[in-house]
Structure formats: C-alpha cells, structure tokens
Amino acid sequence: MSAGWMIVRRWMVDRRLSTISWTVGLAVIVVLTAAFYPSLSETTADLGSDSSGAMSALLGLSSAIDPSSPLGYLWIGLWANVVPMTQIAFGIALGSAAIAGDEETGTLEYMLSMPVTRTTIAVSRFIAAVAILVVSGALLCLSLIVSIPLFELGDSVTTTASDGTSTTQPGATALDAFNGTLSSTAVGLGFLGLTYAIGGITGRKGTATGVAAAIAVGGYVLYTISNSTGSLDWLAELTPWKWYVDDASLVLGVSWAVIRPVIMAAAGFVVGAVVFARRDLQPAK
Amino acid sequence: MTTVIETDGLTKQWGQLIAVNHLDLAVEQGECYSFLGRNGSGKSTTARMLLDFIRPTAGSARLLGGAGADPAIRGRVGYLPGDLNLPRAMTGNDAFDFFGGLRGSADDPERASLIDRFGLDPTRPVRELSTGNRRKVGLVLAFLGDPELLILDEPTSGLDPVLQEEFRSLLADRKARGVTIWLTSHVMAEVERVADRVGLIRDGKMAKELAMEDLRHQTTGRIRLGFAEPVEASAFDGVDGLTTVDVDGRDVTVSVDGPVAALLRRAGDLGAVHIETQRRDLDDIFLELFDLSADDGASP
C-alpha cells in the first residue's frame, strides 16, 4: 500500500464516528421533512403565494418553482437552505482539519518526520476530506431517494388557478435527488477548498474556520439583500448562493454553474498545498 | 569516518528573536552527541530544522549525507519529539501499524520486545495514556525499524527512574550497533552514561563543545587537605598539575589535573593531618560551564 493511500485511509478512519454521526443526523432531517410532505404541502403553497420578495429570496423561491409540488416542498424545506448550509459547515470542518487542525494539535509534525513528502500529505488529506464529503453527500441523496416512494413525493400534483387553468407538476425522482445533492455537495466542496487553502497558508484552524464561515454567512446575507433590493447584483454573483439558489438544481436540473465551486475547491487545493509545502510548520498549541 | 549530522552556519530567526545563531555542528557515525541547554536555548528548534519542519533563515543542515526534507533520508531516522502528539483515538498498536507502515517497519520483529521492555499496553487509545505512557509509545516508534540515526528530544521527560534506566540501556545497545544518536537534554546525569560528546547551547549559540571524557575528568581531582596549623595558599606554589587552591583556615581544597604525587609530597612537608578526595557532581560542572559561557558571551 502506498504512503499516500495509507494517509487517506487513516485520516478517514480517524473521522469515521464524526462522519457517521453527522451524515445520519442529516439523513434523519431529510426523512422527517419528507414524511411531513403529505400534510404540509398545502401550507407551503400558501407560504409561496403570500411571500414578499425578501421572503421568497430567503425561501429560495422563484416563479418557476411551485411550492406545493413535491420538488418545490423539498426545495424550500431543505435544499434551498438547510442542506447547503450543513454541507458548507461540514466542508469547512473537513477543510480546516485537513492541514491546519492537525498542525495545531501537533499530530502533523510527527507525520512529517516519516518518509513522506509534504505534497503527499497535502494531496492525501485533501482527497480524504473530499471523499468524506462526497460519501456523506451520497448517503444524503440516498436518504431522499428512499423517502420519495415512502411519502408520496413521487406523485405528480395538478393545481388549478383562479382563471381555471390547471398545471401539473411532476413528482420527485431519483435523478432530481441526484441533481439537488450534486449541487449542494459542490457548494460544500467549494468551501472545503477555501478553508483548506486558508489552513494551508496559516496553519491555524481557528483562522481558517472563522474566515470561511464569515464568507459563507456574509455571502448568504449579501445574496438575500441583493435579491430583495435589486442592488449589489454584481457582488452577489461572487457568492455561491447566487447561482445555487437561482438555478435550483433540485427542481430545474443541474446547470453548468455547478462547475464554479468545483473550480473554487481546485484553486483552494493548489494554493493550500503549494504554500504548505514551502512554509515553516507552526508549533503545536 | 562519515559525518551523519552536519550544520553549517545554521540560523533561525523570527523577527528580533534569533532562536539558533550560526550553529556549526558535525556528528560522526556511531557517535552519541548530546545537545545540552536550558529551556528555550534552541535545542528543539535545531531538531525541527534538521527534519525540515522549519526552514533555516541562513545556513544549511544535512543528515546522512542528504537533506532532512528528503523522504528517503527521513526513512533512516528515528525521531522522538519533545512533545509527542498522536491522534487521540489511535491506540499504541494503531500507531505502530500506521507509522511503522509508512517507514516499512510495522512488522519489525523487535516491536514486541520493545513494547515489553517499556511495559506498554499497546491496546489503549492515546487519549487515555498518561504523559509517561505516551512517551513510551514515542520511544517504541523511534526505535522501530532499527534506524541509522536517532534524534531524541528530551527522551526521558516523564519517565520514571526505572524506565529511564531501561531507556539508557536500550540506547547503549543501539550505540553498540553503530547507530548515531543526537539527543537534547537539560539534565547532565541523563547523558553521562551514553554521550560521547556534548554541545552546550546558550541563547541559540554553541557555547562549548566537550568530549564526555573531558567532562568526566573534571568530576575528579578535588582534594581536601587538613592541617594542624593554618597555611597560606602560596605554600602550594610550584606544585605540578595544581589548578585551584582554596584556603579556609586549616582546610585547603585543591584541584589537580594529572598525577597527585607532587601535591601529596608538599602536603606531607607542610604537616597535613588528614586527606579526603571529593567528586564533583556533573550538574555542578554543567552549571559552572554555563556560567563560564555566559561570561564569555558578555565579554566584548
């Protein structure tokens, strides 16, 4: 077994309990929310029609999304906010642990006394962190796929407007679950890369976590302000929320914009790994 | 003879703080070199530069003919940091499997005997281990795979006297096999049994380098003489090998470098009534040397 693979495996094994707990917790939230669809779908329909522009922005609603449909319900209930936020939090936790977290505890220094290069460690840790996020995302997707037939989310819904025209919205499918989870996991991946880069540069977990979390939360606030006021659009474009919520992959399918956070993660990886390979290791705290 | 550790003007500076200052060092194959100094004198910083955890501001360091950054070189080095940090969920066995695996020494036949020698329970997770037991895990890891060079940063810190003795015995065993050892310490007695040479580091500078034999020599040679009547220090003028003479009434304490026959003859002539040899503690010499090096440093 190569040294790189050994490091990937060990890092994942060391985090198995926290990963399982996190993923199971998220899957339970998905299943519970899905279970309330039959009774809450009408409420969400009212919520959609009564919402102001700001509220619609917060809910992630656009004119193309019917909140009474299964996908609309899942979107405003989970995928427009709760799911990406939790995956961003998970990405930040993994990205900060990959280099900075272990550097701060001093475990990374001992690893560096072994016959492995800093680049091998940096690459292996990034792969392990991404693998954990992807596995967690896959299980999240699976929890939704399992919930679809259990809670009538696969049934199409026909609504009749006041002018007598009726519209039929399709039920949720496994492909929709995949599209939605792919996008939310991609956002988490982007923040994983960002946090990894800051950790690789500074070697300090608190700094990496704090800066990345501030960017995530600040971006969300900026997006909602931009959406409700119509200003600062150009700035909102820089946040992942703009494309993620506007494109609503769970409902409308995956768009090419999903590549943005992947590029952000790749750039973060390169910057973090290169700087880490060249700088002094920080002493353990 | 091959030089295993070689530093040339090695310097590490953070802002105004010079942690290591133009350090020139050469440790030969099979030698046990002890780096002695007080806390914060630059011992651990030197070790961290040797293994490329931090990069020198100036100068260079070479290990086993190569760079500490080279994985092939690090694979031949056993390292014990001053403060060993391992993932908390890892057990001793996990650590030996994982780090031993990276070094290609997980199946070292000596693994079981090393664990047994230090009386370690390798099934317990690191988070449950006391400081001394974590030290034992670190020592087993350092010795696994029979490395050519051991870099040990304050290795007996946290070990009880029995295990300290076991460690010294193991070190002597490795030294007999030709392993080169570089260890840091601020306890003179710790290195007395194993070191061939000591380097005294003060404020990042090499204050003095001495062969252990010379140090041991300084522990002997102090003789206290008792006289019936008070004598003057000048009464010992011209005695061969006499380095110091301290007079306190009818008691005279002298240091002798070399044969004592001339001193004994003079003492007899002066009417000495009793004679007593004194052995100085190595720690006293250590403190004395540091005082001297401080004086050297203070002089222009």
Side-chain angles (χ1 to χ4, degrees), chain A residues 11-45:
Chain A
W11 206 74
M12 292 178 77
V13 166
D14 285 342
R15 276 150 193 83
R16 63 189 182 278
L17 286 179
S18 55
T19 303
I20 290 168
S21 313
W22 181 274
T23 307
V24 168
L26 194 51
V28 167
I29 290 171
V30 169
V31 173
L32 283 177
T33 307
F36 281 98
Y37 169 67
S39 55
L40 286 180
S41 58
E42 287 188 13
T43 310
T44 54

Side-chain angles (χ1 to χ4, degrees), chain B residues 249-265:
Chain B
R250 291 181 296 177
D251 289 333
V252 179
T253 305
V254 297
S255 297
V256 187
D257 185 10
V260 296
L263 170 71
L264 295 179
R265 272 196 299 274

Side-chain angles (χ1 to χ4, degrees), chain B residues 131-173:
Chain B
T131 307
N133 278 319
R134 279 206 303 276
R135 209 78 194 134
K136 292 179 197 175
V137 173
L139 283 168
V140 173
L141 282 168
F143 283 96
L144 265 185
D146 209 5
E148 293 170 50
L149 168 64
L150 284 165
I151 294 180
L152 309 170
D153 194 358
E154 297 184 14
T156 57
S157 166
L159 292 184
D160 63 45
V162 175
L163 286 168
Q164 286 185 23
E165 187 57 32
E166 191 59 48
F167 164 75
R168 288 178 199 126
S169 158
L170 187 60
L171 215 55
D173 173 53

